[in-house]
Structure formats: structure tokens, C-alpha cells
């Protein structure tokens, strides 16, 4: 038996339920940027859950910053409860987006997590803004990312 098939695949109905469940929790960077470019972002808002310093250095245009450790009723008092909040952090190796999504969901917000964070966003060539990005135009070879400090 091959390593690939050592564990039998799920039946199609179970696989469909599993993958639909995964998509209920994740948003793909390409899908998000497609919606943003089409001006079709009325139903969601991007939330950067890393530190304020990381947000200042590099961020997805239009995102709001709420570090995951600051998520509470007061910080979200004026947030629209009809929106879906798509949380992101540095990468899949960082769990700030997961922590932020958990905290927001506990407050009653609908949430998703951006797959791969800002690292995947940048790797796909999608636009970013911030102090580090503006400095890159002046300093060739400057690093694009920043540790999440979270």
C-alpha cells in the first residue's frame, strides 16, 4: 500500500462537510483581493491582529488594526455586527489571527481568518502599504516583512 493511501480517504459526503467547514473559517488572499479590486467589500472588513508597530510598518490597504490582546467590548463598541471580520497576522506560523478571531467570536462577531496572513498576501504580489513599504522605494533590498511582536 502507498503512503498516500495508508489511511483511507473519507467518503465524499464527509469530505464535502469537512472542506465546507474549512472554508467557513478561512478566506483566501486571492479571493479577498479580487473583492477589494471589484469594490465588493461591503460585507467584510480586514482586521490586522498584530501589534501597532507591525501594522505601521506594513499592512493590507484598508485594514483596521486591533491587536488580539486588546479585543474587548470597549474596543469593538462601534463595530458593525452585520459584517464578517477577516483577521490576519504575519503568517501561518503566527497565531495572532486565530487569537483575534477567537476573541471577536466570543463577543458575538462573525469571523474568518486570512489564509497565510500578510506573508501569503505579499508572496502573491498583492498590494501593501506602510512605513517599511514607503522606505523600500528609497532603500533597495530592504526587507518587506516584520516580526509580529505579538
Amino acid at each position: 500500500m502507498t503512503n498516500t493511501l495508508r489511511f483511507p480517504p473519507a467518503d465524499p459526503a464527509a469530505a464535502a462537510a469537512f472542506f465546507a467547514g474549512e472554508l467557513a473559517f478561512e478566506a483566501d488572499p486571492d479571493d479577498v483581493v479580487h473583492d477589494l479590486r471589484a469594490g465588493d467589500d461591503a460585507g467584510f472588513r480586514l482586521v490586522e491582529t498584530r501589534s501597532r508597530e507591525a501594522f505601521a510598518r506594513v499592512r493590507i490597504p484598508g485594514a483596521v488594526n486591533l491587536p488580539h490582546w486588546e479585543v474587548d467590548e470597549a474596543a469593538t463598541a462601534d463595530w458593525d455586527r452585520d459584517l464578517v471580520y477577516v483577521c490576519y497576522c504575519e503568517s501561518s506560523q503566527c497565531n495572532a489571527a486565530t487569537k483575534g478571531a477567537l476573541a471577536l467570536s466570543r463577543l458575538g462577531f462573525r469571523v474568518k481568518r486570512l489564509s497565510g496572513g500578510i506573508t501569503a498576501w505579499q508572496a502573491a504580489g498583492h498590494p501593501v502599504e506602510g512605513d517599511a513599504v514607503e522606505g523600500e522605494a528609497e532603500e533597495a533590498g530592504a526587507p518587506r516583512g516584520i516580526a509580529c511582536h505579538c
Side-chain angles (χ1 to χ4, degrees), residues 33-70:
V33 82
H34 178 290
D35 290 342
L36 293 173
R37 287 181 175 152
D40 191 15
D41 62 346
F44 70 93
R45 175 162 298 141
L46 288 165
V47 182
E48 161 79 67
T49 56
R50 298 180 301 162
S51 69
R52 297 198 185 287
E53 296 80 13
F55 182 77
R57 290 207 34 145
V58 63
R59 63 189 166 276
I60 296 172
V64 297
N65 181 224
L66 182 58
H68 67 85
W69 58 89
E70 294 180 11

Side-chain angles (χ1 to χ4, degrees), residues 8-19:
D11 69 80
F18 173 83
F19 291 116

Side-chain angles (χ1 to χ4, degrees), residues 100-111:
L102 173 61
L104 287 169
S105 65
R106 285 180 171 163
L107 293 174
F109 291 98
R110 294 180 310 143
V111 296

